[in-house]
Amino acid sequence: MTRRSDFRELPARLLAWFDRHARVLPWRAPIGVARDPYRVWLAEIMLQQTTVPHAAPYFQAFTQRWPRVEDLAAAPEEDVMRAWAGLGYYARARNLLKCAREVAARGGFPETSAGLRELPGIGPYTAGAIAAIAFGERSAAVDGNVDRVFARLMALKGEWAEEKKRLAAEVARLVPDERPGDFAEALMDLGATICTPAAPNCMICPLTDMCAARAEGAPERYPVKPPKVAKPVRYGHAWVYRRRGKVWLVRRPPEGLLGGMLALPSAVWQEGEAPEAVPPSKADWQALGEVRHVFTHFTLRLSVWQAETPRNPAGEGMWADPEEETGLPTVFAKALALATGGKVRRR
């Protein structure tokens, strides 16, 4: 087996593999062609906490509707939030628009990871990825895929927070002067397609003889992370007003969870036990059942009720056709699907 000190061979070997096996993705330019910083940034923001297959149609829709950062910067927030619906982590969408407006005002993206980190919604990984891929800066981009690859290469067994620092330093050391962006994308591709979480395909990995975890015989054991803490459960109610085939939607407050998004009227979500079902208005409410949805920090159990109403409910809102409405966050799309007997509508 190649010793760890021979990681100096890793960049050239990985790039040679990437030249043959790079994934074709809607935000990627062909190898050797300059990357558009706007497309790189948009893809990286969408891919946070989201899979490539799920993000791809959103990316295509955004770039068709807003092909330049200046176009996105000029978009109304309501349009951006509606187009984002279903991607989750909605604070990203609000920061996306803030960032686009700041970049447009500056006249372009900063070309360094340090400058990029000054923008809304851009953290260390995203800044490193954009700087390397779009601008050729020799910066490291360490995401979950890269964590897994290097945890296995180095067979890291210690406390995970400290081991992450070690592997990040190793990645930064190995970033080549030439093609740093391709190096970043090659590591992402290796983790996504070969060095996968449950069943790494070591037989075709270009780095297999460098891998300490492979030498031990059980690479899938890595990375060694602390046990996950069970998420708390919150409970709530959602109210589906119906009239002549349409449903009543409201817009959530601009700040907070799902801020600014269209939604069904909903009671406060609380931990411990389900709150009393207190309808927002008098009607013949029918209990339909419960939908469950997992957020970053908690699981939601939402009881769904429906009623026919001859008039508009109190407060601001709008009547929408449930067969055409695609602007709802997933949790409310699930509740609406329960009420209408349809499916969760997504792109």
Side-chain angles (χ1 to χ4, degrees):
M1 187 185 98
T2 304
R3 295 176 302 170
R4 178 180 174 277
S5 61
D6 289 332
F7 277 179
R8 62 178 179 268
E9 302 172 9
L10 186 150
R13 198 185 296 186
L14 185 65
L15 287 169
W17 171 83
F18 184 68
D19 288 341
R20 298 190 301 273
H21 301 290
R23 289 180 293 175
V24 176
L25 301 172
W27 41 84
R28 279 189 183 169
I31 293 174
V33 176
R35 309 295 210 273
D36 178 353
Y38 169 61
R39 295 172 69 88
V40 175
W41 162 74
L42 182 60
E44 290 298 334
I45 299 299
M46 287 186 169
L47 287 168
Q48 294 170 2
Q49 305 293 332
T50 308
T51 64
V52 165
H54 189 57
Y58 285 88
F59 177 87
Q60 291 168 324
F62 264 71
T63 51
Q64 288 171 5
R65 187 171 182 180
W66 301 298
R68 303 174 306 144
V69 70
E70 294 81 6
D71 301 319
L72 182 58
E77 181 173 341
E78 180 178 327
D79 289 354
V80 175
M81 297 300 289
R82 188 180 185 89
W84 190 272
L87 265 177
Y89 303 89
Y90 293 97
R92 290 183 298 160
R94 293 191 290 274
N95 281 330
L96 186 84
L97 189 53
K98 290 178 185 177
C99 186
R101 289 172 176 170
E102 185 167 334
V103 169
R106 286 170 173 245
F109 285 90
E111 297 187 6
T112 66
S113 55
L116 288 160
R117 287 190 65 176
E118 296 176 0
L119 296 174
I122 296 184
Y125 161 74
T126 305
I130 298 170
I133 297 168
F135 299 114
E137 180 181 271
R138 188 180 175 274
S139 56
V142 182
D143 67 351
N145 282 318
V146 179
D147 278 344
R148 185 169 59 256
V149 169
F150 273 83
R152 289 171 176 171
L153 284 170
M154 301 168 71
L156 298 176
K157 300 178 175 67
E159 197 274 326
W160 180 237
E162 291 302 313
E163 298 290 39
K164 276 177 65 71
K165 295 177 185 177
R166 284 185 60 199
L167 73 84
E170 188 71 6
V171 176
R173 185 182 70 83
L174 291 169
V175 176
D177 293 327
E178 299 295 327
R179 302 180 64 188
D182 287 347
F183 180 77
E185 291 188 320
L187 280 176
M188 297 174 201
D189 281 11
L190 188 73
T193 63
I194 290 180
C195 197
T196 53
N201 194 344
C202 300
M203 296 299 293
I204 60 172
C205 177
L207 310 179
T208 189
D209 64 329
M210 297 182 178
C211 184
R214 168 68 172 169
E216 291 179 359
E220 65 278 359
R221 290 179 47 221
Y222 295 90
V224 180
K225 296 183 179 180
K228 290 185 177 180
V229 177
K231 297 186 183 207
V233 179
R234 297 183 188 176
Y235 300 85
H237 301 278
W239 312 95
V240 183
Y241 289 97
R242 306 189 68 168
R243 186 176 73 179
R244 294 195 291 272
K246 295 195 173 183
V247 296
W248 181 253
L249 300 179
V250 298
R251 192 165 295 281
R252 292 175 66 85
E255 300 300 326
L257 188 64
L258 307 180
M261 302 296 296
L262 283 175
L264 295 167
S266 173
V268 174
W269 304 339
Q270 68 180 41
E271 289 184 25
E273 60 182 23
E276 183 182 356
V278 180
S281 64
K282 291 183 178 180
D284 186 15
W285 290 101
Q286 174 190 4
L288 298 179
E290 180 183 86
V291 297
R292 300 189 183 195
H293 188 72
V294 178
F295 289 93
T296 310
H297 301 299
F298 67 94
T299 297
L300 176 65
R301 296 177 58 174
L302 193 64
S303 297
V304 183
W305 305 73
Q306 75 169 355
E308 292 286 337
T309 180
R311 59 184 65 86
N312 287 1
E316 294 185 5
M318 58 178 281
W319 292 105
D321 185 340
E323 293 298 316
E324 298 177 359
E325 182 52 58
T326 59
L328 292 177
T330 301
V331 61
F332 290 111
K334 289 178 180 178
L336 187 56
L338 180 62
T340 62
K343 296 181 179 179
V344 178
R345 289 181 58 80
R346 288 285 165 253
R347 290 167 181 79

